Amino acid sequence: MGGFIAIKLAIEYPEILDKLVLIGTNARNISQKRKLLLEKSLTTLNKNNFAKLFYQKNYSSYFSNKDLKNTSYQNTVYLMAKQLGYKTFLDQTNLILKRPNQLNKLDKIVSKTLIIRGKNDKLSSNIMNNELNKKIKYSVYTEIKNSSHFVMLEKPKTFNKIITNFLF
């Protein structure tokens, strides 16, 4: 949810930002297909089964196919789900379901903006990130090879170098 929140802040309070980093995000509302999947997850997940089922249903969408068997990543995603808990999942899912389309407001972002995407990201497409890049006036867009939605875990050195170069 960080990208959606950052975009909203940059649109509504441009004076508080000098630089903005957007990672694996977009400014669209959700598709009907994703809406149905999220609504279904709200009815099937509960406090008792949440972490296990969330992990099982979502893990493969976060990483490149080559990294799906990485036990460190598996443990990280499962523990994140468990630690954040069911209430966080409910809150986040409900926010996603209500998320407005912000595409027509992106021209209000005036801060220098870095858009990063893992090249194999299954949740945030190249098309979506190119939209951001075209509509945000002072933006640069970069993709990191051999990574997906959790690009910061898959390619931490490359990721950190790109961000450091942008910020400093």
Side-chain angles (χ1 to χ4, degrees), residues 22-26 34 58-65 115-129 132 141-152 154 159:
L22 300 173
I23 306 157
T25 193
N26 68 80
R34 179 135 162 93
N58 294 288
Y59 175 76
S60 65
S61 62
Y62 296 138
F63 294 96
S64 300
N65 291 338
I115 302 161
I116 299 176
R117 175 181 177 266
K119 186 150 180 82
N120 303 320
D121 193 332
K122 299 167 190 165
L123 298 175
S124 178
S125 73
N126 185 24
I127 293 168
M128 292 172 177
N129 284 266
L132 293 174
Y141 171 42
T142 186
E143 288 187 337
I144 299 176
K145 293 179 184 176
N146 301 315
S147 63
S148 191
H149 197 65
F150 278 26
V151 59
M152 67 290 298
E154 292 174 290
F159 177 82

Side-chain angles (χ1 to χ4, degrees), residues 72-133:
S72 175
Y73 297 158
Q74 292 171 356
N75 291 335
T76 297
V77 171
Y78 179 75
L79 287 173
M80 273 184 7
K82 194 169 185 169
Q83 289 170 352
L84 289 172
Y86 181 64
K87 173 133 176 32
T88 300
F89 162 75
L90 287 177
D91 292 344
Q92 183 172 347
T93 301
N94 283 312
L95 286 171
I96 292 169
L97 288 168
K98 295 173 188 169
R99 184 178 78 219
N101 187 323
Q102 302 266 35
L103 287 172
N104 62 346
K105 297 178 182 178
L106 292 175
D107 61 343
K108 294 181 180 179
I109 298 176
V110 294
S111 56
K112 295 175 187 167
T113 303
L114 172 62
I115 302 161
I116 299 176
R117 175 181 177 266
K119 186 150 180 82
N120 303 320
D121 193 332
K122 299 167 190 165
L123 298 175
S124 178
S125 73
N126 185 24
I127 293 168
M128 292 172 177
N129 284 266
N130 273 312
E131 278 177 337
L132 293 174
N133 189 34

Side-chain angles (χ1 to χ4, degrees), residues 6-21:
I7 289 170
K8 187 164 178 62
L9 285 172
I11 290 168
E12 293 187 13
Y13 305 99
E15 70 280 0
I16 67 170
L17 296 175
D18 179 41
K19 293 183 178 178
L20 174 65
V21 178

